[in-house]
Amino acid sequence: MNDLSSAAARARLVVNVEMDDRTVLFPDGKFLTHVAIAEDAGGGIRLDGVFLFNESRTEATIASVEPEDARELGRALLEAVFQGRTQHVLSETARIAVVFNPNGFVLRFGEERALRELFIASPAIVRLAQGVLRMVDRVCALPPH
């Protein structure tokens, strides 16, 4: 396998994380069936919503983060579950809050007008953490010889 074919094979992986019927993306009010996690063209990690309905053709991208921020996001998701409190991922390129609530979580990506909020329940948030960390592992893997 040459460098081009291995890069193409690597770029095709999309981790589809199943959500439940309590997963909603705002400000658009779209219910999600899955979150698709993939490597973006710039080497970052992109989270896209797979909507139950989308006649208004809302952009599917929830967030795009650098691999180190994605690793911190995966950890923050798990810490929010296990510690039962709000967590933050703050860097020069990321502004993410994982807000703990008794009935679930709200993931806030960005700020002000660019704010995207993902309402998500406990079982789905653990699956999301696993998917994010799986993609981080893939993106950060050393290339084969």
Side-chain angles (χ1 to χ4, degrees), residues 86-103:
T86 297
Q87 303 291 326
H88 295 89
V89 177
L90 301 172
S91 72
E92 293 199 17
T93 57
R95 300 282 183 265
I96 305 169
V98 182
V99 180
F100 172 78
N101 291 300
N103 293 319

Side-chain angles (χ1 to χ4, degrees), residues 71-87:
R71 184 185 321 274
E72 289 302 314
L73 173 60
R75 182 180 177 98
L77 294 171
L78 293 172
E79 284 183 342
V81 171
F82 286 100
Q83 294 180 12
R85 63 180 183 176
T86 297
Q87 303 291 326

Side-chain angles (χ1 to χ4, degrees), residues 42-118:
I45 296 175
R46 191 180 71 243
L47 284 74
D48 291 325
V50 179
F51 302 128
L52 190 60
F53 54 86
N54 191 15
E55 291 189 41
S56 62
R57 306 220 186 333
T58 298
E59 173 66 33
T61 301
I62 299 169
S64 186
V65 296
E66 296 298 318
E68 282 307 310
D69 293 332
R71 184 185 321 274
E72 289 302 314
L73 173 60
R75 182 180 177 98
L77 294 171
L78 293 172
E79 284 183 342
V81 171
F82 286 100
Q83 294 180 12
R85 63 180 183 176
T86 297
Q87 303 291 326
H88 295 89
V89 177
L90 301 172
S91 72
E92 293 199 17
T93 57
R95 300 282 183 265
I96 305 169
V98 182
V99 180
F100 172 78
N101 291 300
N103 293 319
F105 301 84
V106 179
L107 279 62
R108 293 184 175 163
F109 298 93
E111 297 175 316
E112 298 178 15
R113 291 180 188 233
L115 180 65
R116 310 267 296 170
E117 294 178 300
L118 182 65

Side-chain angles (χ1 to χ4, degrees), residues 30-44:
K30 305 288 186 187
F31 281 80
L32 280 73
T33 60
H34 292 81
V35 172
I37 306 168
E39 183 177 0
D40 67 18

Side-chain angles (χ1 to χ4, degrees), residues 1-7 9 12 144-145:
M1 193 181 258
N2 63 32
D3 289 332
L4 291 176
S5 61
S6 64
R12 283 192 291 255
H145 295 255

